[in-house]
Amino acid sequence: MGHSPRPTFRGGFANTGDDPCLNPSSSIPSASARSNTPLEKNIHEKRLSTASVHFGSYLKTTADASTSRPSSARGRGRPSQNPSREQLEHLLSETEDELETFGINEMRDGFFDATFYRPLPRNHQQMMRRASETLPLALQSHHPLSFKYFIPQQWSELRDSVQQVATTRSGLNLLKSFLGFFVGYIVCLITASRQWLGPHSYILPLSALVNHAGRPIGSQIDGAILTIVGAAAGLGWGSLALYVSTSTTTAQKGYGGVLAAFLVVFTATVALLRCTFIRLYQAVVSAGIAICHVCLADTSETVGWRKVFNYGIPWVLGQAICLLISFVVFPTAGARALTLSFHGALGTIAQGLVLPRTDELSLRRDLSWHFVRLSTAIRDFTIEISVSRFAPEDVRSLRNLAQSVIRALLSVKPDTQLFDLPSRTSGQASASVNETQQVRVDGYRPSKEDTQPVLNLIGRRLASPTRGLIDAMAACTASCDAAIIDLGGQRRHLRPRYDSQELSQALQVLSASIASFEAADAALIADPAFPQKASTIPEAVALFLFVTVTLTTSPKHPVRQAADKVQAFSEKVLHIQQGRPSWAFRLPSYPLYKQFSRINAQVRHDRGGLTANVYFRTKAQLDRTMEDLQSRPFVPTSRSNIRSSEGVPDPTTTAKRQEAAAAEPRLRQSDQEKFRYKVWVVLHRMQGFESRFALKIVLVTTLLSVPAWLEQSRDWWNAYDSWWTVVAVWLMTHPRVSGTFQDLAVRLFCVALGAVWGGLAYAAGNGNLYVMAIFAAIFMIPMIHRYTQSLHPRSGIIGCISFTVVSLSTIAEQDGPSTITIAWTRGLAFAVAITASVLTNWVMWPFVARHELRKSLSAMMFHLAILYRGVVSKYIYYVDGQEPSAQDIERSEMLEGRVREGFVRIRQLLELTRHEIRLRAPFNPLPYSALIEACERFFEHLVEVRQSSLYFQASLRASNAMANDGLISYRRDAVAVVLMNLYILASALRANKPIPQYMPSAAAARKRLIVRMEEVEATQPQESGNLGQKDGRRWADVYRFAFSMALTDIVEQLQQMQKYIRDVTGEAEFAAVGS
């Protein structure tokens, strides 16, 4: 056993009393009340002899509390070590003694006793090498701003885009988007139709760009309605502004001020709507363009009502053209995106079923990504009109079942040795297990001679059935994929290898494989050669945790559990297939109150800032969920109110607790109904990003609009169509992201290129319509692709608008300014708008990805602390009679799904930091990536603890209250030290402050708990836990192994967080004496 160093300091911290596991005073009597019986006195004396919690006394001990053991414990033959303890010894072995404590420890009963060690040693080079292995794929390539790799990278992206357009459905979507614009552009080139549309005929192709035709039919209908309604609202408000500004002589003299007032009010309103109800995005964008046209185009002291019709009619015609093309040219009914999501998820699941394999980090991240993507796909499918064979309730069920399969696969340890056992030697088998796991369990240390026969027996019995089970799951997954592709009508495009009619046969094979596997498992248990102490062999336990554990309560872990999930998913797909659903017109089924905060996939892309948008949306949802979870009232149960003989809660006490818990929401609701609370909500909301965005928009648009209403500047404003400056600001300013220097440069380049190409289109043929059409096709096809399908939609749309306005203005004003004048004046207007929008976002409340990354990690650590506290109180140290219910498990799985999505979004946020220029020094993503990985590993181990706790209860519970009293303070310390570490680390990240040099040692607290459990268990008779079966103790040991190791792994990941946070925030130093 490794050396256990003495702590450098141990101190007391007050207990908050929020959890039963942290509040011993609420569930155990005082020390005097615990010393009435010989057994109680014996346990209490043992606690004193091992330096347990006492009333603030100083105890001289012969050994450290973490290593001392009474002789009675040794005499019982109970375990002196276990895998968790050996791992903790390894974690503590890196610390060194700094101060001699002389065996004196300060202990305070009722307080959290923390143990402090010297800071962990850090090999920075080794840490960064490990951190580099955790980087997302996008950060492993060359830097996007590198001059050396810029041109090759652009060429590679161009080649990939051409290949995607030529070989996938993206080419058809691009064709539809281009046709919608090109038809409107041709209409504007024809002299008769251009004159009929008016001087601003380019509104027609602009309308076709805002709601382009490369969308599913449901999205196209939705967009057409919203854009027309938005344009009508803008024209209506603008018309009212024009009427008021010319209603009297006094108003006519100050018409500029009247128009400015109306413009400010409307712009602020639509800006708030644009942020608050993103479903109305297309409507508010259209309204903003319309109000700018009415109030800023062709301004004068007299009203020209004709310009209202010159805008409204082309806008409606543009929407009609796009709607017609969407219905006629390769229509997409809405089921394709859903089918592709299931196809991608099932393909990744099939990769996860390739067992055994190495535990690849990329595959785990792909599984988590598809877990999130399925929810998004279902939401997009149910939020709009669709024509498909899928019923909304069916796809929701399929989503839940597919996510349960992914959840089960994430629990599988893929690098198992089960299939290699018959061909391995004893030495090889022993080498496959970590050295820290070669320990005794129940006083038995297995030798190599004892281990290998047991492993060979397990391999002979379970290897073949397990292989058959895995193959059957893979076949079912492929058949389900083929069936869903057929139901979605995408077989001709995706061409699956399997036939959907094979699903029924594959499901029968899976059922037979499950039955064969269970028979083999039962035969293994009944085999006379299978020893009773097989669950004490770490290698055997690892095999059991890979395959199955069969009990009356039917816990399955985890391959066997995955088989059940795949079977349930396959049965649902088969049920839908056998129903032979027909193509049907389906209305939106997403809840109406949620629809205003959701938009379809194409609009999410077109509005730009996709990564930041989904990150903030996910973060807000997770924050609300955690706040609700944290705000639930907790009423501790006193042990005096529990029937010690039966372990059943007192009905009176239970009723009081339920009444108190029910009264809390009513109190909160009554407080929320007060007028002052409502005022506070309004004022607090005004501090959010919505109000900030509205203020920025109003400020920039108003200042840029001033020349339109001044006599000395009105002439050139109208002559050069400078009102497009305000329109471009409205389009390019994003509520969340500000844009990087690279974005600014690319957008200015696209504007300049569009203006120059538009001028060349007219000059090349002296206004020849055919030449201009050819020039439009050459330029607009790649630019529309950039707008509708690339990762840079805003530079794409401003390039499209620049070319359209310049080229059509040249042909509309043939007798006016020269082509060069039109090109540079319009181009300059767009350049000013882009520069103003980006600089404003840089100066006023900028979005800095690296700062948001640090804050998001801080919030995630707080969330992990809440999850850890909830798992401990609900699944581990709960009171008898309050076991976790099916609703609790379902709620936990839902919450875990949102946390998984949170990690996906945080990694996407990490990728954004690569595009930011940092003047002080290059941003180092390595510690952040390693910190994200450590947090995610912490979360995965916490999920493992929750799952294992369903099949294993912590021993010495209420059935032996006095023995439980001997552990409760140690359990409190083990839990509290984890929470305290998380709170300290999260607060340091949030405030960007250095963390303390000395942190409470979670490893030491965990080790003290394990040692104390061994001591207390040594005084108790052998029990079979809550299973009550012949083999119950054996399988309880198996789950106890997983349960204990997962808790210890949590401690290890906590130490990794401490190491990498020191690279992010630094480490506080002690001030010099006398300073």
Side-chain angles (χ1 to χ4, degrees):
M1 183 175 65
H3 173 65
S4 177
R6 294 188 180 93
T8 60
F9 174 74
R10 295 196 62 203
F13 295 85
N15 172 30
T16 61
D18 290 336
D19 292 299
C21 54
L22 305 182
N23 193 5
S25 59
S26 66
S27 57
I28 61 174
S30 62
S32 59
R34 292 197 302 265
S35 303
N36 296 329
T37 65
L39 176 60
E40 296 167 1
K41 187 177 298 185
N42 183 29
I43 294 177
H44 185 56
E45 291 174 355
K46 291 180 183 297
R47 292 181 62 191
L48 297 179
S49 66
T50 55
S52 62
V53 178
H54 188 55
F55 290 92
S57 61
Y58 290 84
L59 302 177
K60 180 68 175 293
T61 59
T62 59
D64 185 76
S66 62
T67 59
S68 61
R69 294 178 51 79
S71 58
S72 60
R74 292 192 299 266
R76 291 296 300 263
R78 300 294 294 172
S80 61
Q81 297 174 339
N82 60 35
S84 294
R85 183 171 175 182
E86 286 291 326
Q87 186 176 358
L88 291 168
E89 292 285 356
H90 174 70
L91 295 178
L92 292 172
S93 65
E94 297 180 344
T95 60
E96 298 178 358
D97 289 341
E98 183 182 26
L99 299 175
E100 176 60 47
T101 63
F102 301 101
I104 301 296
N105 292 325
E106 179 184 2
M107 314 300 298
R108 303 177 183 181
D109 196 8
F111 287 81
F112 158 44
D113 295 312
T115 304
F116 294 84
Y117 287 96
R118 294 184 62 182
L120 297 171
R122 300 167 65 247
N123 187 333
H124 190 267
Q125 184 177 2
Q126 183 180 10
M127 288 173 54
M128 293 300 103
R129 185 174 64 253
R130 293 179 179 176
S132 63
E133 299 174 356
T134 67
L135 283 175
L137 186 60
L139 291 177
Q140 296 177 7
S141 58
H142 303 294
H143 198 281
L145 300 181
S146 174
F147 290 102
K148 179 179 179 181
Y149 299 102
F150 181 77
I151 300 299
Q153 182 179 1
Q154 299 303 313
W155 173 253
S156 177
E157 291 181 359
L158 176 61
R159 184 178 53 198
D160 294 341
S161 298
V162 172
Q163 182 180 3
Q164 182 182 14
V165 168
T167 59
T168 66
R169 181 83 182 188
S170 300
L172 298 179
N173 292 334
L174 177 60
L175 174 63
K176 294 168 62 177
S177 301
F178 172 72
L179 281 178
F181 166 83
F182 195 65
V183 170
Y185 190 83
I186 295 299
V187 171
C188 294
L189 289 179
I190 300 174
T191 304
S193 58
R194 182 178 66 250
Q195 293 176 352
W196 180 78
L197 290 173
H200 301 294
S201 59
Y202 44 64
I203 297 298
L204 174 57
L206 174 64
S207 174
L209 284 174
V210 172
N211 187 41
H212 58 84
R215 311 170 189 266
I217 293 176
S219 298
Q220 196 68 45
I221 296 175
D222 187 52
I225 295 174
L226 288 175
T227 52
I228 292 175
V229 170
L235 293 176
W237 186 262
S239 299
L240 178 62
L242 291 178
Y243 174 77
V244 173
S245 66
T246 57
S247 58
T248 63
T249 305
T250 304
Q252 192 171 6
K253 292 181 180 180
Y255 80 100
V258 175
L259 293 179
F262 274 83
L263 183 63
V264 166
V265 172
F266 189 80
T267 304
T269 302
V270 295
L272 287 172
L273 291 176
R274 179 176 175 177
C275 301
T276 307
F277 304 109
I278 60 174
R279 183 66 187 272
L280 303 178
Y281 171 78
Q282 292 174 292
V284 297
V285 166
S286 303
I289 299 174
I291 191 68
C292 290
H293 177 269
V294 175
C295 295
L296 300 177
D298 300 329
T299 57
S300 64
E301 296 180 358
T302 59
V303 177
W305 295 105
R306 179 66 184 175
K307 68 178 179 179
V308 177
F309 295 94
N310 289 341
Y311 182 93
I313 293 176
W315 188 271
V316 174
L317 288 178
Q319 295 303 312
I321 291 172
C322 290
L323 194 62
L324 179 63
I325 292 176
S326 179
F327 272 90
V328 174
V329 181
F330 303 106
T332 302
R336 175 179 171 78
L338 179 66
T339 305
L340 291 177
S341 297
F342 275 108
H343 176 64
L346 292 175
T348 307
I349 289 173
Q351 296 178 22
L353 289 174
V354 178
L355 298 170
R357 53 177 169 79
T358 57
D359 194 2
E360 299 176 0
L361 189 61
S362 60
L363 182 56
R364 297 183 66 85
R365 291 180 181 177
D366 287 343
L367 288 170
S368 298
W369 161 245
H370 285 289
F371 186 96
V372 174
R373 187 187 179 193
L374 283 175
S375 296
T376 305
I378 301 304
R379 189 184 303 118
D380 293 342
F381 178 76
T382 57
I383 206 173
E384 61 188 19
I385 299 172
S386 62
V387 180
S388 69
R389 294 175 178 172
F390 295 108
E393 56 275 9
D394 288 336
V395 294
R396 291 191 186 97
S397 298
L398 288 177
R399 184 268 315 271
N400 295 335
L401 293 172
Q403 288 180 339
S404 67
V405 175
I406 294 176
R407 192 182 298 114
L409 286 181
L410 287 172
S411 301
V412 173
K413 301 296 187 296
D415 50 350
T416 181
Q417 306 298 330
L418 176 65
F419 307 104
D420 299 333
L421 283 175
S423 60
R424 295 174 68 90
T425 63
S426 177
Q428 291 173 326
S430 299
S432 65
V433 181
N434 190 287
E435 183 179 351
T436 61
Q437 296 180 355
Q438 299 294 332
V439 297
R440 288 183 292 184
V441 183
D442 289 339
Y444 170 68
R445 182 186 293 273
S447 63
K448 295 180 179 179
E449 292 76 10
D450 297 334
T451 299
Q452 192 60 36
V454 176
L455 298 181
N456 290 338
L457 176 61
I458 296 174
R460 287 195 304 271
R461 289 288 189 180
L462 295 183
S464 179
T466 304
R467 171 52 59 197
L469 186 64
I470 294 173
D471 293 342
M473 284 192 289
C476 267
T477 301
S479 299
C480 288
D481 185 23
I484 291 176
I485 289 174
D486 286 344
L487 290 171
Q490 303 298 322
R491 172 169 284 274
R492 186 166 59 91
H493 303 287
L494 300 179
R495 299 176 181 177
R497 295 184 297 107
Y498 280 71
D499 188 354
S500 60
Q501 302 302 322
E502 299 175 0
L503 177 58
S504 177
Q505 181 180 357
L507 190 56
Q508 293 176 4
V509 174
L510 177 60
S511 300
S513 299
I514 292 175
S516 175
F517 182 87
E518 291 180 346
D521 184 40
L524 173 65
I525 297 175
D527 196 318
F530 189 65
Q532 181 70 21
K533 292 185 177 294
S535 58
T536 65
I537 302 175
E539 299 95 327
V541 170
L543 296 180
F544 291 144
L545 293 177
F546 173 74
V547 286
T548 182
V549 176
T550 305
L551 298 172
T552 302
T553 52
S554 297
K556 304 173 180 66
H557 185 81
V559 170
R560 177 64 179 83
Q561 183 183 18
D564 283 345
K565 302 302 182 182
V566 172
Q567 185 181 30
F569 179 78
S570 303
E571 289 174 351
K572 181 62 179 179
V573 174
L574 181 62
H575 174 73
I576 297 174
Q577 185 186 49
Q578 291 177 344
R580 299 185 182 277
S582 58
W583 293 92
F585 185 82
R586 306 185 187 278
L587 295 175
S589 59
Y590 200 70
L592 182 62
Y593 70 96
K594 292 183 179 181
Q595 286 192 18
F596 288 100
S597 59
R598 302 291 182 182
I599 51 178
N600 58 65
Q602 189 62 52
V603 177
R604 276 200 307 272
H605 171 273
D606 294 348
R607 68 193 294 253
L610 179 60
T611 300
N613 289 328
V614 295
Y615 159 73
F616 282 110
R617 179 66 57 183
T618 302
K619 183 177 182 296
Q621 185 181 31
L622 186 57
D623 289 343
R624 288 194 300 268
T625 303
M626 289 297 178
E627 184 179 358
D628 294 340
L629 181 63
Q630 190 177 16
S631 62
R632 291 178 184 174
F634 172 74
V635 182
T637 303
S638 175
R639 186 173 296 280
S640 60
N641 291 326
I642 297 180
R643 301 176 185 176
S644 58
S645 60
E646 300 179 4
V648 179
D650 184 13
T652 304
T653 304
T654 303
K656 291 181 179 179
R657 296 177 71 250
Q658 293 177 351
E659 182 179 357
E664 183 71 18
R666 291 198 298 269
L667 292 176
R668 290 201 302 267
Q669 184 177 3
S670 62
D671 292 339
Q672 293 175 1
E673 292 176 353
K674 295 180 179 179
F675 175 75
R676 62 181 184 180
Y677 177 80
K678 295 180 180 179
V679 173
W680 175 85
V681 169
V682 174
L683 295 177
H684 184 71
R685 187 62 182 268
M686 292 178 62
Q687 302 175 14
F689 79 97
E690 301 93 343
S691 299
R692 296 176 181 180
F693 173 70
L695 177 60
K696 289 189 287 186
I697 283 292
V698 169
L699 179 64
V700 178
T701 55
T702 303
L703 292 178
L704 292 177
S705 302
V706 170
W709 305 312
L710 301 178
E711 292 185 3
Q712 57 268 32
S713 57
R714 185 172 56 197
D715 292 338
W716 64 261
W717 176 275
N718 293 333
Y720 299 145
D721 281 346
S722 297
W723 65 280
W724 278 107
T725 305
V726 183
V727 173
V729 168
W730 171 244
L731 290 175
M732 301 305 292
T733 306
H734 195 276
R736 286 292 192 182
V737 297
S738 54
T740 63
F741 180 81
Q742 181 185 9
D743 295 331
L744 176 61
V746 171
R747 292 170 191 173
L748 290 176
F749 174 77
C750 290
V751 164
L753 183 62
V756 171
W757 195 262
L760 289 176
Y762 180 85
N766 196 23
N768 185 278
L769 303 184
Y770 298 100
V771 174
M772 295 189 68
I774 294 174
F775 269 75
I778 295 175
F779 179 83
M780 289 300 293
I781 289 178
M783 197 59 68
I784 289 179
H785 174 270
R786 185 175 182 86
Y787 165 47
T788 61
Q789 298 184 18
S790 75
L791 298 177
H792 312 282
R794 282 184 288 174
S795 60
I797 189 174
I798 199 64
C800 293
I801 295 175
S802 176
F803 169 80
T804 303
V805 171
V806 169
S807 62
L808 292 180
S809 295
T810 56
I811 196 172
E813 302 178 15
Q814 296 181 4
D815 299 331
S818 65
T819 303
I820 297 178
T821 302
I822 293 176
W824 78 260
T825 54
R826 272 65 170 184
L828 180 62
F830 288 117
V832 170
I834 292 171
T835 305
S837 64
V838 174
L839 291 181
T840 302
N841 275 331
W842 282 358
V843 175
M844 301 179 65
W845 302 292
F847 169 83
V848 184
R850 58 182 181 273
H851 295 169
E852 290 296 335
L853 176 63
R854 177 173 47 80
K855 295 176 183 178
S856 66
L857 279 172
S858 172
M860 183 58 73
M861 286 185 179
F862 276 119
H863 297 337
L864 291 178
I866 296 173
L867 280 176
Y868 181 81
R869 190 189 65 180
V871 169
V872 169
S873 61
K874 191 66 180 177
Y875 290 90
I876 302 177
Y877 300 135
Y878 54 84
V879 180
D880 285 342
Q882 297 182 7
E883 292 81 2
S885 61
Q887 291 77 12
D888 294 327
I889 298 174
E890 182 179 357
R891 190 181 303 111
S892 297
E893 292 178 347
M894 179 272 296
L895 184 59
E896 291 163 4
R898 292 184 177 178
V899 174
R900 291 186 196 278
E901 183 177 1
F903 283 114
V904 171
R905 303 310 181 192
I906 290 176
R907 281 200 175 88
Q908 293 176 344
L909 188 63
L910 176 62
E911 297 176 7
L912 289 183
T913 61
R914 198 180 195 196
H915 302 276
E916 295 180 342
I917 295 179
R918 191 166 181 253
L919 299 179
R920 184 171 55 185
F923 177 76
N924 183 16
L926 292 178
Y928 289 91
S929 179
L931 191 55
I932 296 172
E933 182 64 22
C935 290
E936 190 169 18
R937 290 289 184 181
F938 183 101
F939 167 71
E940 294 292 350
H941 292 314
L942 190 58
V943 173
E944 186 177 352
V945 168
R946 182 190 64 80
Q947 293 175 343
S948 298
S949 65
L950 298 176
Y951 312 128
F952 163 75
Q953 293 184 3
S955 58
L956 304 178
R957 291 181 47 78
S959 60
N960 195 327
M962 293 302 101
N964 193 36
D965 293 346
L967 294 173
I968 193 165
S969 60
Y970 293 89
R971 290 171 173 171
R972 174 204 63 195
D973 291 352
V975 173
V977 71
V978 175
L979 295 177
M980 184 177 184
N981 273 276
L982 288 173
Y983 290 151
I984 292 174
L985 299 179
S987 300
L989 275 176
R990 180 70 181 179
N992 198 19
K993 298 295 183 181
I995 66 172
Q997 282 189 350
Y998 291 86
M999 297 285 290
S1001 176
R1006 174 73 182 150
K1007 180 182 174 183
R1008 290 179 62 226
L1009 172 61
I1010 290 176
V1011 172
R1012 187 57 182 168
M1013 287 178 62
E1014 295 170 355
E1015 296 171 357
V1016 176
E1017 287 179 356
T1019 64
Q1020 306 303 314
Q1022 293 284 348
E1023 297 179 359
S1024 60
N1026 64 309
L1027 300 174
Q1029 296 185 7
K1030 177 181 179 180
D1031 294 315
R1033 182 69 184 183
R1034 178 188 308 169
W1035 302 122
D1037 285 338
V1038 170
Y1039 275 103
R1040 179 178 180 177
F1041 180 95
F1043 175 86
S1044 182
M1045 290 300 295
L1047 285 174
T1048 305
D1049 289 336
I1050 286 175
V1051 172
E1052 184 175 3
Q1053 295 305 319
L1054 195 61
Q1055 290 190 356
Q1056 294 298 318
M1057 295 182 201
Q1058 294 178 10
K1059 289 182 179 180
Y1060 286 104
I1061 283 183
R1062 283 183 165 86
D1063 274 0
V1064 176
T1065 63
E1067 185 178 73
E1069 298 181 357
F1070 288 112
V1073 178
S1075 62

